[in-house]
Amino acid sequence: MLLALILFAVGIVGNLALMCIVWHNYYLKSAWNSILASLAFWDFLVLFFCLPVVIFNELTSKRLLGDLSCRIVPYMEVTSLGVATFSLCALSIDRFHTATTPGSLQTPRVEPCQSILAKLSVIWIGSMVLAAPELLLWQLTQEVVSTSIITQDGSPPLTPISYQATQPGSSPVASLGAQTGGLLVDMCVRQPSIDLPETVYSLVLTYHEARMWWYFGCYFCLPLLFTLACNLVTRHVIAQETLQKASSLKVAGGRTSSSSSSTSSSSSSPKKKQQARREQRLSSTVMALAVIYAVCNLPENAWNIALAYISIPVSTSTEALLALIGQFLLFVRSSSTPVLLLCLCRSLGQAFMDCCCCCCEECLPDGASSSSSSASTTATAASASPSALSSPVSLSPPSLSPSSCKEEKLEIVSGTTPAIFYDKAKDTSSVVAIGTPC
C-alpha cells in the first residue's frame, strides 16, 4: 500500500506537470515535446485508473467494477506499452532526421501542426488497435478459497477447493462458498469467452496462443532494437559529416589567409559545440527512456518464457504474485518516466521550476512578489543570449513595463531543432527569439 501511494503521488504529479507544461506553453509545442506529452498522458491514465483497481483487488479480493475492469485494465496497460513502443521509435526517427538534416542550426525549421497531429494519430491509433484483442481475451471468474487452514502470517491460503467460471452475482459459487465456509475471490482469467462468434473466437484464441511471443517481440524487442539501431546509424552519419567538414575546412584554410581562417574557425566552433551538446542531450534522453523501458519489462517477459518452456511446478499463489509484480513494474515505469524527462530535458525542467517559483511567489506579499518577479525577469533577459544584449531592444526598467511588453515578445522555442517563431508587433520590428533545444 505504501509503495502504491508513492507511485501514485509521484506519477500523477509528474505526468500532470509534463502535460500542462507542453499544453500551456506555445513555444514548447514541438513534435518532440508533443510525443513526450502523449506518453505522459497514457502513463497518467494507467496510474489513475489501473493502480486503484489493482490495489482494491489485493486488499478486498473483490474486483472493482466487476467484469468491466477485468477487460479495461489489461487493455489500458497493453495500450500504454504500445504508446511507449511507438513513441521510442518516433523519437529515434526524429532525432535521426534532425541530426542528418544539412544546416539544421543555421536554417530555422518549424514543424507544422498537421505533421505533429499525424504522428500522434499513428501512435495512438496503432497502439489501441493492436491492444483490441485484450478486450475479448479476459473475463471475470469467482474462486472459492478454503479458510479452514490458516497460514503462519494469519492469511487464508490460496489453494482453491472449487473453480467455476460464472458471471458476477450468480448463485452456484456463492452457495458453495457458504456451505464449505470458504472465501469467495474475484479473479481475472485470460481465457476467451465461448459466447463469442465463431470467427471472432478463433481469432482471439489464436492471439491467446501467440500472445507471449507477440508481447515479447512487439513490445520489448521492437522498441529496443529500433532505438539502438537508429542511435548507431545517427552517430555514424554525424561522424562522417564531421570528417567531411574538417576536410573541407582544411582545403579552404589552405587557399585563404591565416587571419581569415582563424576568424572562420573561431566563429564556427561555438556552433559545433552547441550542436554537440544538443545531440548529446537528445541521445541521452532517448537512451534513458529505452533503459527504463527495458528494465521494467524484462522480468515479466523472462519469467513468462521460462514458465512456458521449463517444466517448473508453479502454484496459483505464485502466478498471482508474478502477475502483481509485473503490474507494479509497469506502474514504476509510468511514475519514473516524467521525473526522468523533467531532469534530462532542460527546457521542460526549466519550465517546471519557473512554474513552481511562480506558485511560491503567489504565497508571498505583494511587494516581495513583484520585486522578485521583476528581478527574475531582468536576470532572464540579461542572460538570455549575447545577441539579445546587442539587439535594438533596451533592457532598461521602462522597457519592462506592461505597455512595452505588449509591443515586444520574447519567445523561447524548444524542440529537436532550434526554431524561431517570428511574431512581430505592430509598432516595432524588433524581435528577440531564442532557440533552446531539449
Side-chain angles (χ1 to χ4, degrees):
M1 188 65 182
L2 179 61
L3 178 60
L5 289 176
I6 294 175
L7 293 178
F8 187 83
V10 174
I12 292 297
V13 173
N15 288 302
L16 276 179
L18 189 59
M19 288 187 294
C20 292
I21 286 172
V22 177
W23 178 260
H24 289 288
N25 291 274
Y26 178 75
Y27 57 88
L28 289 177
K29 291 182 180 179
S30 61
W32 179 279
N33 293 329
S34 298
I35 294 174
L36 297 182
S38 171
L39 180 61
F41 174 74
W42 278 100
D43 290 340
F44 170 80
L45 290 181
V46 168
L47 291 172
F48 189 79
F49 291 103
C50 300
L51 182 57
V53 173
V54 173
I55 296 301
F56 183 83
N57 186 29
E58 290 297 319
L59 296 178
T60 64
S61 299
K62 299 294 181 182
R63 196 70 183 182
L64 190 65
L65 300 179
D67 186 68
L68 180 62
S69 65
C70 279
R71 301 176 185 273
I72 294 298
V73 169
Y75 175 74
M76 293 183 64
E77 291 175 353
V78 176
T79 303
S80 177
L81 290 177
V83 171
T85 296
F86 293 123
S87 297
L88 282 175
C89 296
L91 292 176
S92 302
I93 294 174
D94 191 79
R95 178 178 175 269
F96 173 77
H97 183 263
T98 302
T100 57
T101 300
S104 59
L105 287 176
Q106 291 80 8
T107 305
R109 184 178 62 88
V110 179
E111 190 166 358
C113 182
Q114 291 80 4
S115 178
I116 298 177
L117 291 178
K119 293 180 180 179
L120 296 180
S121 300
V122 170
I123 293 174
W124 282 36
I125 295 176
S127 303
M128 296 174 70
V129 170
L130 290 179
E134 297 289 333
L135 294 173
L136 305 175
L137 185 61
W138 295 83
Q139 59 178 338
L140 179 66
T141 62
Q142 292 180 331
E143 188 170 311
V144 179
V145 178
S146 175
T147 57
S148 59
I149 302 175
I150 305 299
T151 57
Q152 295 180 359
D153 58 353
S155 60
L158 293 177
T159 55
I161 63 174
S162 176
Y163 178 81
Q164 181 177 357
T166 179
Q167 296 296 328
S170 59
S171 56
V173 175
S175 61
L176 180 60
Q179 293 175 5
T180 58
L183 179 65
L184 191 63
V185 177
D186 292 341
M187 299 185 65
C188 291
V189 180
R190 192 168 65 239
Q191 180 180 356
S193 177
I194 59 176
D195 298 333
L196 295 173
E198 184 178 357
T199 305
V200 179
Y201 180 80
S202 61
L203 292 176
V204 176
L205 188 60
T206 304
Y207 173 80
H208 174 60
E209 294 175 353
R211 183 181 185 273
M212 182 187 64
W213 288 110
W214 168 256
Y215 196 87
F216 177 73
C218 181
Y219 298 120
F220 185 78
C221 295
L222 174 63
L224 299 182
L225 294 178
F226 191 87
T227 302
L228 181 61
C230 282
N231 189 20
L232 295 177
V233 172
T234 303
R235 289 186 178 184
H236 179 69
V237 172
I238 291 176
Q240 286 186 346
E241 290 182 354
T242 304
L243 292 177
Q244 292 179 359
K245 289 181 180 179
S247 61
S248 62
L249 287 176
K250 289 181 181 180
V251 174
R255 296 179 179 178
T256 57
S257 61
S258 59
S259 59
S260 61
S261 62
S262 61
T263 304
S264 61
S265 61
S266 61
S267 61
S268 61
S269 59
K271 295 181 180 180
K272 292 181 180 180
K273 292 180 180 180
Q274 180 184 4
Q275 185 179 7
R277 289 194 300 266
R278 179 168 60 87
E279 292 299 329
Q280 184 178 4
R281 279 195 297 269
L282 295 178
S283 177
S284 61
T285 301
V286 176
M287 294 307 297
L289 290 177
V291 168
I292 287 184
Y293 187 85
V295 169
C296 294
N297 286 279
L298 179 60
E300 184 178 3
N301 289 278
W303 69 57
N304 285 336
I305 296 176
L307 293 178
Y309 291 95
I310 300 177
S311 59
I312 301 177
V314 179
S315 60
T316 307
S317 59
T318 304
E319 292 181 356
L321 179 61
L322 292 178
L324 181 63
I325 293 175
Q327 286 182 317
F328 262 88
L329 288 176
L330 176 63
F331 299 147
V332 168
R333 182 190 64 81
S334 300
S335 300
S336 58
T337 298
V339 178
L340 179 70
L341 292 175
L342 291 176
C343 294
L344 291 181
C345 290
R346 186 178 61 181
S347 57
L348 298 178
Q350 185 62 38
F352 179 73
M353 296 302 298
D354 293 342
C355 182
C356 294
C357 293
C358 292
C359 294
C360 294
E361 289 176 359
E362 290 179 358
C363 301
L364 298 175
D366 296 336
S369 62
S370 61
S371 61
S372 60
S373 62
S374 62
S376 62
T377 305
T378 307
T380 304
S383 61
S385 64
S387 60
L389 296 177
S390 61
S391 61
V393 183
S394 63
L395 296 177
S396 59
S399 65
L400 299 177
S401 59
S403 60
S404 62
C405 290
K406 294 180 180 179
E407 297 177 356
E408 300 170 357
K409 287 189 176 181
L410 177 62
E411 295 188 357
I412 303 176
V413 182
S414 140
T416 56
T417 57
I420 300 179
F421 291 161
Y422 293 96
D423 191 3
K424 298 183 178 180
K426 296 181 179 179
D427 300 332
T428 180
S429 61
S430 60
V431 178
V432 181
I434 306 172
T436 55
C438 178

